[in-house]
Amino acid sequence: MRAFRNLKILTKLALPVSLLVLVAVGLVLVAIQALGSLRDNTTYLIDVTTPRLVLSLQLAYSMDEATIQLKNAIFEKEASDVAQMRSAFAEQKRKATAAADRLVEMADSEQRRTLNLGIKTQLAAFFSAAEKAMELGLRGDPSAVRMDIEEVRPVRRALADTINKRVEFNAVDLERVKQNSNELAESADRTLVVSALAGLLIAIGLVAAIVIYGVTRPLQGMTEAMGHLAGG
């Protein structure tokens, strides 16, 4: 404490100022780190997690639409609608295949890649069987119904079950990433507030100590000494 009292007043005042500068620099670094983590998390959410869910839903939608075209070809076929049915079926096949290929490309682990390749294989089996049944239906062949029931339906159900599981998994993954972003933001808020308050309190404490030990007490001592001198 003696060493502190012997310091010059400007040196004493520089201590809390320096502390505040250090706290400010620390807060900036914490903010940069937090924003970087949030940016990475948001980028992953936008570029990976959300597209995976959208692609999984596209698979389910295209399979359902292709199934509708197949049923129309078997049970409600009109000669004028044949070309439109073939075109609509082919378009859903193209969209589903593109979605499956994109899911395989986006796989970031061997396990995910294997699962997506399995979906692609099931998808190819479904469209292969559905195309055969559809052509039979468009020709008015009664065996189209039997083929739909015995060959297309089991493949479609297995594929639908697999796709629904992937949709559910990707939805959970999306929620997890969103929750992680919220936790990062809350953690950054807490760190910034606590750090700022701690730095401010320490700086105020130093200023108070400087005033008491560096200014008030020395002046009080001088006053007392001058009083003693005046009193002889």
Side-chain angles (χ1 to χ4, degrees):
M1 188 59 66
R2 182 184 298 274
F4 179 77
R5 288 199 298 268
N6 292 334
L7 292 175
K8 295 180 178 180
I9 188 64
L10 290 178
T11 303
K12 295 175 182 177
L13 292 175
L15 291 176
V17 173
S18 299
L19 178 62
L20 289 175
V21 171
L22 289 175
V23 170
V25 171
L27 292 177
V28 170
L29 293 177
V30 170
I32 291 174
Q33 182 180 12
L35 289 174
S37 298
L38 286 173
R39 182 187 63 248
D40 294 341
N41 221 50
T42 303
T43 299
Y44 186 81
L45 181 69
I46 295 173
D47 294 344
V48 179
T49 310
T50 301
R52 279 177 179 162
L53 179 58
V54 172
L55 289 169
S56 299
L57 292 171
Q58 177 64 58
L59 284 173
Y61 174 79
S62 293
M63 184 187 67
D64 289 342
E65 285 296 308
T67 300
I68 291 173
Q69 296 304 321
L70 172 60
K71 299 300 184 183
N72 289 339
I74 295 175
F75 299 108
E76 300 179 12
K77 174 177 66 65
E78 294 290 341
S80 59
D81 296 335
V82 171
Q84 188 274 334
M85 289 180 185
R86 282 198 176 101
S87 175
F89 184 89
E91 178 63 13
Q92 296 306 323
K93 178 181 178 181
R94 183 191 66 77
K95 289 181 178 180
T97 302
D101 288 339
R102 182 59 183 147
L103 282 172
V104 172
E105 292 174 3
M106 294 179 66
D108 52 9
S109 68
E110 191 59 35
Q111 180 183 14
R112 192 185 291 273
R113 178 179 173 80
T114 300
L115 288 172
N116 291 336
L117 284 172
I119 292 176
K120 186 176 179 179
T121 300
Q122 286 183 286
L123 190 69
F126 163 71
F127 276 106
S128 176
E131 280 179 322
K132 293 176 183 177
M134 186 171 186
E135 288 303 317
L136 291 174
L138 291 174
R139 293 200 300 266
D141 192 327
S143 64
V145 176
R146 179 178 57 80
M147 187 173 187
D148 179 39
I149 295 173
E150 296 179 358
E151 297 186 30
V152 180
R153 183 179 297 175
V155 178
R156 182 175 64 248
R157 285 180 175 176
L159 176 60
D161 184 59
T162 301
I163 292 176
N164 288 336
K165 288 179 180 178
R166 297 312 299 168
V167 169
E168 182 179 352
F169 178 84
N170 287 326
V172 171
D173 193 36
L174 178 63
E175 188 60 33
R176 178 188 61 79
V177 175
K178 287 169 57 180
Q179 183 63 31
N180 190 33
S181 295
N182 291 334
E183 291 175 357
L184 284 172
E186 291 174 1
S187 176
D189 288 342
R190 286 194 300 269
T191 301
L192 290 172
V193 171
V194 170
S195 299
L197 289 176
L200 185 60
L201 290 175
I202 293 174
I204 291 174
L206 282 174
V207 171
I210 290 169
V211 171
I212 294 172
Y213 294 104
V215 179
T216 303
R217 286 193 177 181
L219 288 176
Q220 184 179 0
M222 290 175 61
T223 302
E224 291 176 355
M226 292 177 67
H228 288 309
L229 289 173

